[in-house]
Structure formats: C-alpha cells, structure tokens
C-alpha cells in the first residue's frame, strides 16, 4: 500500500519562510507532487520532483530525496494569500495516479 | 477556471435516490479521475480512466458506478448511498504520454450530502 505523512498544521508570519515536510512509503513511485487548496476551492498543482534535488518555481521550491523517501515544500516571502492547505502526493502507475497525504493547513499571520 | 467543470456543485439526496455527477474537461486531456474528499481525511482516489478505459478502481463500493463515454466526459452514478458517503467529490484530468509531471487539473467539486 501507500502512505504519506505530513504535519497537520503550520503557522507563520508574513514575509517568513516555511518548510512543509513529507515522508512516504509506496510502490511504483514516479515522483512527488505538491498541490495547494484554498478553503472551498479545488486543488491546484504547485510543483513536482521526479529526480532527487531541488526544483524552484518563484517563491516556492520543492525537494526530493528518493533514497530517504522524503520531500519538502519550501515557501518563501510568505503572503496572506498563501494561507491554504498543502498536499504532498506520490505519482505512481500507468495513469500517473496520485495518492495524497492528509494535508498541511498553513496559516499566515500579519 | 481550470478547464474542468463539474455539475451539480451541490447535491442533497436521500439514501434511496439515484443521482449522477457530471464532469467535463475542455483541455484535450486523455485521462480523467474521480476523488473523494472527506473532512479530516486525505483525498482518496476512486476511479481512473485512461483513454476511456478504466485503469483503477480502488475498492470503491458498488453503489458508486463510473462512466466515461468519451475523453471529455466522466460521470459518477450514485444509488442507495449511505450518510458516510457525504463528501466533496472532485474530478480531475491530465495528459498522459507526455513529459512529467503530468499534472492533474481539478474541477471545483460537487458537495454531496446524503440524508
């Protein structure tokens, strides 16, 4: 089976940096994705790591270590609009199915 | 707007009703997915269709029946549901066979309440 672990809640202030960790156990692993979901909204894609290392997309970066079955999402220069739930998800299978973690609720304080 | 639409957005039904959820993607993708999102639980993958063939069925009860008549449309037929089936049902699509990450585009979801 598959399982993912990530913290349930993180709080930070505007302008700060926050790191959301994710550990996983899975078979047929292709990569680790990150999705953002605002209250009442649909999940939207943020980042993907298929290989070890760091991927940077603007204020967001994501890291993967396949040997450690570990990844993280790094959010820099936090803004109020970054308050949302963040999900890590392993990509597996012929249809690149996603298995999601339970999500991390990020609250950004002024 | 993500290019994936879902109707209805809200649905209240009794346990003896039959209803259907509809999903349409306008992105030209070749794979579509149904997820269930309950409070305090991860998004759960229910069904996957790739090139209109069902690829995966994650031990979903038979009271949920998917249908994918073409690459742009996906349905979830519901009958004799239970109150614990109340949740947000999300549809997503992606384009397979291209370079990773094959990101999935989600619709806004249908909020289902079973009385």
């Amino acid at each position: 089976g598959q399982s993912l672990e990530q913290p349930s809640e993180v709080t930070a202030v505007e302008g700060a940096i926050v790191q959301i960790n994710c550990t996983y156990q899975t078979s047929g692993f292709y990569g680790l994705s990150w999705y953002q979901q605002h209250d009442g909204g649909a999940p939207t894609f943020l980042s993907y790591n298929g290989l070890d290392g760091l991927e940077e997309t603007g204020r967001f970066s994501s890291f993967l270590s396949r040997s450690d079955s570990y990844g993280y999402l790094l959010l820099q220069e936090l803004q109020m609009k970054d308050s949302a739930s963040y999900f890590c998800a392993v990509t597996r299978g012929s249809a690149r199915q996603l298995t999601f973690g339970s999500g991390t609720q990020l609250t950004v304080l002024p | 707007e993500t290019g994936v639409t879902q109707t209805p957005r809200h649905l209240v039904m009794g346990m003896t009703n039959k209803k259907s959820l509809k999903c349409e993607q306008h992105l030209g993708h070749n794979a579509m997915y149904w997820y269930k999102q309950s409070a305090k639980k991860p998004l759960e993958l229910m069904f996957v269709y790739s090139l209109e063939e069902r690829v995966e069925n994650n031990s979903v009860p038979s009271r949920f029946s998917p249908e994918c008549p073409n690459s742009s449309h996906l349905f979830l037929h519901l009958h004799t549901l239970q109150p614990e089936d109340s949740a947000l049902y999300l549809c997503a699509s992606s384009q397979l066979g291209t370079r990773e990450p094959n990101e999935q585009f989600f619709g806004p979801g249908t909020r289902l309440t079973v009385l």
Side-chain angles (χ1 to χ4, degrees):
Chain A
Q2 298 84 35
S3 69
L4 296 94
E5 295 287 336
Q6 55 180 124
S8 59
E9 296 178 341
V10 173
T11 300
V13 296
E14 269 189 302
I17 299 172
V18 71
Q19 179 173 313
I20 300 173
N21 297 320
C22 175
T23 58
Y24 61 87
Q25 289 184 313
T26 187
S27 56
F29 177 84
Y30 281 100
L32 189 70
S33 299
W34 291 89
Y35 283 76
Q36 178 192 60
Q37 185 179 29
H38 286 97
D39 278 349
T44 56
F45 174 80
L46 287 179
S47 188
Y48 173 81
N49 295 78
L51 301 174
D52 285 1
L54 192 68
E55 292 285 339
E56 296 180 80
T57 309
R59 294 187 297 115
F60 296 171
S61 303
S62 60
F63 172 83
L64 175 66
S65 168
R66 296 173 74 114
S67 60
D68 295 324
S69 298
Y70 163 77
Y72 66 73
L73 178 70
L74 190 73
L75 299 89
Q76 303 182 73
E77 301 172 18
L78 282 175
Q79 302 175 8
M80 298 292 288
K81 66 178 182 180
D82 297 329
S83 291
S85 291
Y86 292 83
F87 296 88
C88 59
V90 295
T91 302
R92 57 177 183 85
S94 60
R96 298 301 186 267
Q97 298 93 308
L98 293 174
T99 299
F100 283 85
S102 54
T104 298
Q105 178 67 49
L106 171 64
T107 301
V108 180
L109 301 174
Chain B
E1 293 296 325
T2 62
V4 181
T5 58
Q6 291 186 242
T7 54
R9 295 292 308 275
H10 300 272
L11 178 63
V12 179
M13 59 187 289
M15 289 191 286
T16 59
N17 292 157
K18 288 185 179 181
K19 296 287 185 184
S20 295
L21 309 185
K22 179 183 176 182
C23 175
E24 183 173 0
Q25 59 97 358
H26 311 273
L27 302 168
H29 288 166
N30 57 16
M32 296 186 77
Y33 313 79
W34 277 118
Y35 291 88
K36 176 184 178 182
Q37 187 174 31
S38 306
K40 309 292 186 184
K41 293 179 73 174
L43 281 86
E44 301 170 59
L45 179 64
M46 300 175 72
F47 300 104
V48 182
Y49 278 83
S50 174
L51 298 172
E52 300 153 48
E53 295 290 326
R54 191 189 305 182
V55 173
E56 182 165 315
N57 171 355
N58 275 348
S59 303
V60 178
S62 60
R63 57 186 184 268
F64 295 92
S65 175
E67 179 189 1
C68 187
N70 55 61
S71 60
S72 299
H73 294 86
L74 186 65
F75 294 89
L76 188 63
H77 304 299
L78 317 171
H79 64 98
T80 58
L81 294 191
Q82 304 298 311
E84 60 264 29
D85 297 323
S86 298
L88 181 67
Y89 289 84
L90 290 158
C91 172
S93 71
S94 72
Q95 181 62 23
L96 301 179
T98 59
R99 205 164 61 93
E100 304 285 351
N102 302 121
E103 65 183 273
Q104 293 185 15
F105 293 78
F106 285 80
T110 295
R111 174 68 63 185
L112 174 67
T113 302
V114 182
L115 302 175

